[in-house]
Structures are given as C-alpha cells and as structure tokens.
Amino acid sequence: MNKESIVYDILEKLSRGEEANFTDYGISQKEFGDIVEECQKNGYIEEASFSRAKGEIRVTFLNKAKLTSKGIKYVQNYSKSME
C-alpha cells in the first residue's frame, strides 16, 4: 500500500468514527506517526496526539482525532479519482 492510499484509509476510517493503527498497514509505529502528523499539519485532521522520545514519534493517539472539512474533501476527491 502506498503512502497516498494509507492517508486515504486513515482519513476514511476517522470519518466513520474508527481508529487506524500502524498494524493495519504493515508499517512501523514511526512511519505511521509521521503520516498522521503530516495529515494534521496539512489540515486534514485535528486533535491527534503523539508520544515522542528523542524527537521521534513513538506512539500515535487517534482516540480524539477528528476529520476537518479539508480532510472530508480529500476523502471525497480521492474516492472520485478511484471510480
């Protein structure tokens, strides 16, 4: 699964009130955290939180994360591109 597909899947799960986990994608916790952090910096989600050690994300918390209107548009546009 490529990064764009992972971003879409994380956002899509959040839109359904579900939490994504790094084990869903066969990637490391760090890679997952980096992707989620990028989603948050890009304004697709808000209220994701992270536990860091030595400056690197170790654990990602999505229990309070919410999709933003920009994130909803991303999901809709990605879905349309897959048709």
Side-chain angles (χ1 to χ4, degrees):
M1 190 176 259
N2 65 34
K3 184 177 174 181
E4 190 174 318
S5 297
I6 293 172
V7 168
Y8 167 76
D9 196 69
I10 291 169
L11 297 178
E12 209 275 323
K13 283 184 177 184
L14 288 174
S15 75
R16 295 191 318 253
E18 299 175 16
E19 282 186 51
N21 190 296
F22 74 98
T23 58
D24 299 335
Y25 310 107
I27 59 176
S28 71
Q29 284 184 334
K30 181 189 178 317
E31 290 172 301
F32 181 74
D34 290 343
I35 290 170
V36 171
E37 184 175 49
E38 186 177 317
C39 288
Q40 189 152 276
K41 285 181 179 178
N42 288 335
Y44 301 143
I45 62 173
E46 58 189 13
E47 298 188 38
S49 58
F50 309 93
S51 176
R52 297 177 189 269
K54 297 183 181 180
E56 291 188 359
I57 296 171
R58 299 294 183 185
V59 182
T60 303
F61 302 97
L62 294 175
N63 56 318
K64 295 182 182 178
K66 298 174 186 154
L67 208 57
T68 64
S69 57
K70 189 174 180 181
I72 291 167
K73 287 178 186 172
Y74 181 97
V75 170
Q76 291 170 343
N77 290 336
Y78 190 93
S79 295
K80 286 178 186 174
S81 74
M82 298 303 291
E83 293 176 357

